Amino acid sequence: MEAAKMASPKSAPKDAQVMAQILKDMGITEYEPRVINQMLEFAYRYVTTILEDAKIYSSHAKKSSVDADDVRLAIQCRTDQSFTSPPPRDFLLDIARQKNQTPLPLIKPYSGPRLPPDRYCLTAPNYRLKSLQKKVSSTAGRITVPRLSVGAVSSRPSTPTLGTPSAQTVSVSAKVGAPVSLAGQRFTVQIPSSQPAGKSATPTTPTVQNVLINPSLIGPKNILITTNMVPPGTADPNPLKRKHEDDDDYDAL
Amino acid sequence: DRQTLVAVLQFLRRSNLRESEEILRREARLLGDDLGGNVATVATSSPGVAAVAAVPPGKGETRGVCGVGPSSRRGPREVGSPCAARSLGGSPLFWETKVGAVVVEDQPDVSAVLSAYNQQGDPTLYEEYYSGLKHFIECSLDCHRAELSQLFYPLFVHMYLELVYNQHESEAKSFFERFHGDQECYYQDDLRVLSSLTKKEHMKGNETMLDFRTSKFVLRISRDSYQLLKRHLQEKQNNQIWNIVQEHLYIDIFDGMPRSKQQIDAMVGSLAGEAKREANKAKVFFGLLKEPEFDVPLDDEDEEGENEEGKPKKKKPKKDNVGSKSKKQDPNAPPQNRIPLPELKDSDKLDKVMNMKEAARRVRLGPECLPSICFYTFLNAYQGLTAVDITDDSSMIVGGFADSTVRVWSVTPKKLRSVKTAADLSLIDKESDDVLERIMDEKTASELKILYGHSGPVYGTSFSPDRNYLLSCSEDGTVRLWSLQTFTCLVGYKGHNYPVWDTQFSPYGYYFVSGGHDRVARLWATDHYQPLRIFAGHLADVTCTRFHPNSNYIATGSADRTIRLWDVLNGNCVRIFTGHKGPIHSLAFSPNGRFLATGATDGRVLLWDIGHGLMVGELKGHTDTIYALRFSRDGEILASGSMDNTVRLWDAVKAFEDLETDDFTTATGHINLPENSQDLLLGTYMTKSTPVIHLHFTRRNLLLAAGAYSSQ
């Protein structure tokens, strides 16, 4: 660490001198010059936060001015929030005693990489692929390919649905390419704009299957939503529910 | 204990818990007239009741007799509201305000038991008490003086904290001013921290101080010295010091010669005094586990393997006498199945074969044959290199940095390859012989792989023995497991919510240990998202964690200047080693499992005999913190690397021979350390302003060292 260069008294502001003195009192002799700036900034931010909190408390108590009790309360509340300290020793001894009572678990042989359940690993994909096929016009009666949007999927349980979309997107659309007569299969859902926003997986018509309505992505106009195009008669290639976003929006907007 | 019982009985009577009182009295077989007719009423707020009720035994190991802990812990947490439990002992003013209270002067004994820092008399007289004791000790006989001088520091701290706690700031300050210069030099850092604690609120957030208050400071004093002290203190009228001694100090008395100043100085220094003798009495299995027997393909140039304890010989036509030795169970070795260990896979067996072949070509080191040292300097790290590890076969080196990256380099010309993507993997021929080569991606092979994931400086790294995994622990409180086949992060183990200072894989893989700022070390297994064991007991951060070669014990070094040895099977602390005067930063087990070497910020390397629980050597020479310690592969040389930019080699064989381990030594813990650091020092090697933070002996006993170049 570079040796401290104490700013000459005539150029350093008083605050910086005070901070340098504090560091010296605490026994810190070597520090980079920027440490003083950092400490001053921290001190300023901390004191401002506390005083602002104290003002709020004192106005809540309908006092005319901020007094020491308000400041004390503000400090106490902030301490519990930002400056947490590790648990006390007897608590640790307690939980240690509990934890150490259970015997060590036996190790299963031949189990490949020994990792926790998938839910606790970081091995799940955190993305979904967006297929590139364009949607054909709806009057043709063709089913459109389900589109998936790229978006972060945060900590979903690793039910098989998760793994499948990316892998099976292509295959599903391939399957979909061989359609059964679709005259009755196209589902149109009209969404009046007065519907409350918020994701809901409830289909609005009983014949609509596997629709996810995501009004947050929906523009002001009524939207054509396509399903995952599984004809009710045939076996569902993906028997599990699949969510997908509205895809027309991407084309239209 | 009688005092405690009496106090509790009085308390129960005052709170009108007659039935409990009767039961307790019956069990303790105390008579009613023992209690006298004290009528003083003391407020019994609920915290107070809870505090007393929470005296059950088994609350912490160093609690000893006093139920002081719970109440003192709850005390500071009652912010703002005057906690009656605290003021149970309270100032005389408080007592007078109680209706019908009769302030009985001998009550302080009772309430002294109930609260940690009650008012023990006039604060202005504290200086007098202390100087009186000082005078007495200085006038005592020489042989007793060294031992009794041990009393100064804990007494000073506790008296000071009492004054601060009871909010006598000015008295506390003058007390500190007057006496802090008298304390030993190695306590100066603590005293500086103490000097900044001037108000009661300051004490609340400081966990280490709270632990210091509630745990008992252990002193080892010979019986004669103790009698002297006791007589003197009990003669005095107001034995405030005697009260403090009883409350906060644990005096471990031994019969025998008083210790000299030198002996005492070697062993003291930790935050809680020394270790009690019973703490180091448990049996420790320090032997090594037997290596499994398996067929070894012999080369033409294969020599005899090394004769390690319990290790079977290779399958040569003639059986060596070592083969018969392997049938006998080493009495000091743990049973093979004491803790579950993963079975050996084929790749592990191949690894062991390689190991044995390399061991055959190993250089025998000794005072005449010193190892060559190859130094890996990390350039342009700008003081950001915080952790280094090297694989056992010295093929990869990993660096943890302050910018939260983990970088893996290949030391050999062979580049680092990751497994191909799923798409490419489906294209390869799975039946070919070299499928293990084909799954590796040549296009992205490189010498350096950077792993991103942590959100804070990476303070510890560890390769798994099978080189498939890498662990890293960081200031963000997580330990991350990385795969070295895909170079991605697999798991984040969350448990410590505070910076994790060190982590290490077990020598057999599967388990790993981590230690951090929350003062505990945790034992994990890679397939459990929660720790399997929690090792709690240190008074300050756990800064260094190491597995014993037989994977049954874990050594943790801490900022409270002690090293503890924990049993993996049941989480018990089996050894406590005190003697360092600064936080411990490096630990190394000798390859035969019997000894432990430790290095700290005081620049000394201490050697410990694990079986007996004694300090057996002290290596002086370094002038700054020792961050790296490593024994050579056969334990003949101990290498130490330090912040003073040097690597020193010590003769381990000579340091461990001729140990005095007779009954007297083990019973009393007396040690007589020979001043032979200079004889044991085999060489000092200086770098050009690069502190040494990691040392590693290759399988052939070449010493590798690593550090980051710092340009001043």
Side-chain angles (χ1 to χ4, degrees):
Chain A
M1 255 191 279
E2 296 159 353
K5 295 191 199 66
M6 277 276 285
S8 48
K10 46 185 176 291
S11 56
K14 183 154 184 304
D15 285 348
Q17 289 177 32
V18 169
M19 189 53 76
Q21 187 61 39
I22 293 178
L23 287 173
K24 190 165 127 203
D25 284 342
M26 294 302 288
I28 304 169
T29 48
E30 289 181 14
Y31 50 89
E32 292 183 20
R34 291 193 315 202
V35 168
I36 295 191
N37 295 6
Q38 259 185 327
M39 298 295 291
L40 283 174
E41 194 185 311
F42 169 76
Y44 181 81
R45 201 178 50 213
Y46 177 73
V47 171
T48 341
T49 322
I50 297 289
L51 287 179
E52 278 174 4
D53 282 356
K55 267 205 295 210
I56 295 175
Y57 295 142
S58 97
S59 68
H60 176 79
K62 307 223 182 359
K63 287 193 251 193
S64 57
S65 64
V66 181
D67 66 4
D69 276 339
D70 299 320
V71 177
R72 237 174 258 133
L73 183 63
I75 293 177
Q76 181 199 334
C77 291
R78 281 285 165 190
T79 314
D80 296 337
Q81 259 185 324
S82 28
F83 301 113
T84 51
S85 56
R89 189 149 169 260
D90 35 3
F91 175 74
L92 290 172
L93 288 169
D94 227 357
I95 58 172
R97 201 189 12 246
Q98 273 178 0
K99 191 73 115 154
N100 295 345
Q101 269 165 2
T102 53
L104 290 172
L106 295 171
I107 306 178
K108 284 196 289 282
Y110 313 121
S111 49
R114 297 195 163 99
L115 295 177
D118 283 341
R119 194 156 22 125
Y120 303 104
C121 287
L122 303 169
T123 46
N126 56 358
Y127 57 86
R128 285 177 300 172
L129 292 175
K130 180 172 169 175
S131 151
L132 287 176
Q133 293 188 30
K134 294 289 288 178
K135 168 191 172 299
V136 188
S137 83
S138 51
T139 54
R142 297 272 308 173
I143 34 179
T144 55
V145 187
R147 301 279 178 83
L148 300 175
S149 66
V150 178
V153 173
S154 59
S155 67
R156 282 222 198 134
S158 76
T159 56
T161 37
L162 241 199
T164 46
S166 44
Q168 286 195 10
T169 321
V170 180
S171 57
V172 166
S173 37
K175 280 198 187 147
V176 156
V180 184
S181 127
L182 296 166
Q185 306 297 333
R186 190 181 63 242
F187 305 106
T188 317
V189 176
Q190 301 276 353
I191 300 182
S193 47
S194 61
Q195 248 192 9
K199 269 195 191 165
S200 67
T202 52
T204 53
T205 65
T207 50
V208 172
Q209 299 173 359
N210 298 344
V211 170
L212 172 72
I213 302 170
N214 188 1
S216 53
L217 287 186
I218 295 173
K221 42 194 201 73
N222 296 325
I223 302 300
L224 177 71
I225 292 191
T226 56
T227 73
N228 71 348
M229 298 307 126
V230 176
T234 63
D236 199 317
N238 187 6
L240 307 148
K241 222 187 227 206
R242 192 176 313 160
K243 301 182 198 169
H244 54 263
E245 311 290 351
D246 168 50
D247 40 11
D248 281 13
D249 227 9
Y250 297 129
D251 295 337
L253 297 176
Chain B
D1 339 353
R2 245 203 69 125
Q3 229 181 9
T4 329
L5 274 173
V6 166
V8 174
L9 280 172
Q10 282 178 334
F11 191 81
L12 289 174
R13 181 194 293 174
R14 272 180 234 124
S15 4
N16 286 326
L17 300 168
R18 293 279 168 193
E19 281 184 34
S20 336
E21 197 205 338
E22 285 309 310
I23 294 174
L24 181 58
R25 187 179 302 162
R26 233 178 301 129
E27 286 194 357
R29 288 189 292 276
L30 278 179
L31 303 170
D33 45 356
D34 279 358
L35 306 176
N38 297 322
V39 218
T41 52
V42 180
T44 60
S45 67
S46 49
V49 171
V52 174
V55 172
K59 258 271 186 211
E61 56 200 62
T62 55
R63 203 45 58 75
V65 164
C66 279
V68 164
S71 72
S72 67
R73 178 171 66 77
R74 283 185 176 79
R77 277 163 214 278
E78 247 93 34
V79 179
S81 62
C83 171
R86 247 197 346 252
S87 50
L88 264 180
S91 58
L93 183 63
F94 175 74
W95 286 355
E96 282 157 18
T97 62
K98 282 285 122 186
V99 173
V102 173
V103 177
V104 183
E105 214 43 64
D106 54 3
Q107 280 299 65
D109 289 329
V110 170
S111 19
V113 169
L114 290 177
S115 78
Y117 278 126
N118 64 328
Q119 200 67 19
Q120 292 266 22
D122 198 352
T124 51
L125 291 180
Y126 273 41
E127 291 191 19
E128 264 191 52
Y129 302 148
Y130 189 85
S131 43
L133 179 72
K134 198 168 132 190
H135 178 77
F136 160 69
I137 292 181
E138 276 164 11
C139 298
S140 60
L141 289 177
D142 276 354
C143 59
H144 298 299
R145 192 181 319 148
E147 291 204 323
L148 294 178
S149 312
Q150 288 179 68
L151 224 57
F152 282 141
Y153 176 71
L155 222 54
F156 172 77
V157 176
H158 279 291
M159 286 171 89
Y160 175 78
L161 287 179
E162 221 179 273
L163 288 172
V164 168
Y165 193 77
N166 292 308
Q167 291 164 322
H168 302 292
E169 261 187 71
S170 53
E171 283 93 351
K173 212 177 287 196
S174 66
F175 182 78
F176 191 88
E177 284 303 315
R178 193 162 153 200
F179 294 119
H180 80 277
D182 299 335
Q183 310 303 325
E184 301 281 351
C185 53
Y186 39 80
Y187 288 126
Q188 287 309 319
D189 284 338
D190 290 341
L191 290 175
R192 199 180 18 236
V193 171
L194 211 59
S195 68
S196 66
L197 280 182
T198 47
K199 295 192 202 303
K200 193 163 104 195
E201 289 79 31
H202 297 168
M203 287 174 71
K204 266 186 290 207
N206 195 335
E207 283 301 325
T208 306
M209 270 305 139
L210 291 176
D211 285 344
F212 185 80
R213 279 182 45 193
T214 54
S215 58
K216 292 211 164 204
F217 194 95
V218 177
L219 293 169
R220 297 245 289 263
I221 301 188
S222 67
R223 193 172 291 278
D224 305 327
S225 316
Y226 179 66
Q227 301 292 4
L228 204 65
L229 179 71
K230 188 167 163 185
R231 228 186 0 249
H232 168 81
L233 287 180
Q234 282 181 331
E235 276 167 12
K236 293 170 69 90
Q237 277 299 69
N238 34 16
N239 31 4
Q240 308 300 336
I241 296 197
W242 179 241
N243 288 337
I244 297 182
V245 167
Q246 279 193 311
E247 267 180 50
H248 295 292
L249 268 54
Y250 179 93
I251 302 198
D252 198 11
I253 305 175
F254 62 86
D255 293 303
M257 291 280 296
R259 294 190 289 173
S260 69
K261 182 105 180 36
Q262 207 187 29
Q263 283 177 315
I264 295 177
D265 271 350
M267 297 288 289
V268 301
S270 100
L271 273 187
E274 296 181 52
K276 296 186 226 188
R277 271 170 302 147
E278 308 91 63
N280 282 347
K281 287 288 173 247
K283 175 154 173 66
V284 172
F285 294 106
F286 53 81
L288 299 175
L289 292 177
K290 272 216 274 280
E291 302 287 316
E293 301 204 4
F294 50 88
D295 285 327
V296 172
L298 299 175
D299 286 344
D300 300 340
E301 356 157 36
D302 251 19
E303 304 290 330
E304 302 285 324
E306 297 290 1
N307 299 351
E308 260 188 307
E309 192 178 328
K311 198 167 181 163
K313 293 295 294 173
K314 293 193 291 206
K315 299 297 166 289
K316 287 245 168 160
K318 64 170 168 62
K319 262 295 182 156
D320 238 303
N321 50 356
V322 181
S324 57
K325 189 180 173 188
S326 67
K327 304 246 190 325
K328 241 187 338 190
Q329 169 75 357
D330 179 7
N332 289 317
Q336 205 64 17
N337 51 3
R338 188 165 184 264
I339 62 167
L341 289 172
E343 86 280 0
L344 278 185
K345 301 203 280 265
D346 288 341
S347 51
D348 293 337
K349 294 189 183 156
L350 286 173
D351 229 7
K352 288 212 184 295
V353 170
M354 278 305 299
N355 201 348
M356 287 210 276
K357 286 198 197 142
E358 295 279 328
R361 298 200 195 94
R362 193 178 285 170
V363 177
R364 293 234 71 153
L365 298 176
E368 293 80 38
C369 177
L370 296 178
S372 310
I373 308 182
C374 176
F375 199 100
Y376 286 92
T377 313
F378 286 74
L379 298 172
N380 300 328
Y382 301 113
Q383 288 148 21
L385 179 69
T386 44
V388 171
D389 193 26
I390 303 180
T391 56
D392 191 60
D393 65 348
S394 323
S395 58
M396 287 189 282
I397 186 170
V398 64
F401 292 86
D403 63 357
S404 73
T405 55
V406 176
R407 293 167 196 245
V408 185
W409 282 272
S410 165
V411 171
T412 55
K414 180 167 181 270
K415 291 197 179 164
L416 298 175
R417 288 176 174 74
S418 67
V419 174
K420 288 180 180 161
T421 57
D424 294 339
L425 277 180
S426 54
L427 301 172
I428 65 174
D429 172 19
K430 295 184 191 52
E431 302 296 321
S432 62
D433 282 338
D434 58 349
V435 64
L436 291 175
E437 305 301 322
R438 291 186 186 218
I439 59 176
M440 293 308 195
D441 187 10
E442 297 293 326
K443 285 184 289 215
T444 56
S446 61
E447 287 207 357
L448 160 68
K449 295 270 187 199
I450 307 182
L451 304 172
Y452 297 101
H454 277 298
S455 49
V458 177
Y459 287 124
T461 48
S462 174
F463 279 109
S464 73
D466 56 3
R467 295 191 302 285
N468 287 334
Y469 300 116
L470 169 66
L471 277 176
S472 61
C473 68
S474 142
E475 179 261 349
D476 62 7
T478 61
V479 181
R480 280 182 183 249
L481 183 75
W482 310 83
S483 161
L484 290 175
Q485 280 152 349
T486 59
F487 292 96
T488 53
C489 184
L490 297 176
V491 194
Y493 300 95
K494 307 191 217 313
H496 299 276
N497 290 324
Y498 296 93
V500 187
W501 301 123
D502 196 14
T503 183
Q504 199 206 22
F505 254 112
S506 145
Y508 297 98
Y510 182 68
Y511 295 111
F512 61 95
V513 63
S514 64
H517 176 59
D518 56 356
R519 298 168 296 155
V520 301
R522 289 164 200 254
L523 177 80
W524 313 74
T526 51
D527 58 4
H528 288 80
Y529 62 98
Q530 283 184 339
L532 300 175
R533 291 281 179 265
I534 295 185
F535 305 113
H538 278 293
L539 278 85
D541 309 12
V542 175
T543 48
C544 192
T545 53
R546 287 284 178 270
F547 269 96
H548 188 279
N550 65 17
S551 194
N552 272 269
Y553 295 94
I554 287 173
T556 56
S558 156
D560 69 0
R561 284 110 61 174
T562 60
I563 298 106
R564 287 181 183 234
L565 196 67
W566 308 87
D567 189 346
V568 164
L569 185 65
N570 46 26
N572 294 339
C573 176
V574 293
R575 293 282 182 269
I576 303 182
F577 296 128
T578 62
H580 274 296
K581 313 282 189 281
I584 285 106
H585 282 290
S586 51
L587 296 170
F589 278 99
S590 67
N592 59 10
R594 287 176 58 196
F595 303 105
L596 177 65
T598 60
T601 55
D602 57 2
R604 294 146 72 217
V605 177
L606 297 181
L607 306 171
W608 311 86
D609 180 333
I610 296 173
H612 294 105
L614 298 171
M615 189 193 299
V616 294
E618 182 185 352
L619 303 173
K620 292 198 267 233
H622 279 294
T623 51
D624 207 336
T625 319
I626 295 162
Y627 273 115
L629 275 177
R630 195 63 81 118
F631 279 93
S632 65
R633 290 280 173 159
D634 295 313
E636 317 105 340
I637 300 239
L638 172 63
S640 63
S642 148
M643 291 285 290
D644 62 4
N645 305 338
T646 60
V647 174
R648 286 176 196 248
L649 300 176
W650 312 86
D651 190 344
V653 169
K654 202 157 143 205
F656 293 128
E657 64 184 3
D658 304 336
L659 290 181
E660 282 179 29
T661 49
D662 55 351
D663 287 334
F664 177 72
T665 323
T666 49
T668 59
H670 275 202
I671 41 164
N672 253 317
L673 295 176
E675 283 285 327
N676 56 358
S677 298
Q678 278 306 103
D679 305 332
L680 298 175
L681 178 61
L682 297 174
T684 310
Y685 304 94
M686 275 164 290
T687 69
K688 220 186 292 191
S689 84
T690 306
V692 183
I693 65 170
H694 187 75
L695 290 170
H696 172 81
F697 276 93
T698 65
R699 286 174 174 169
R700 299 198 193 184
N701 269 341
L702 168 70
L703 177 56
L704 304 181
Y709 177 69
S710 70
S711 55
Q712 79 254 12

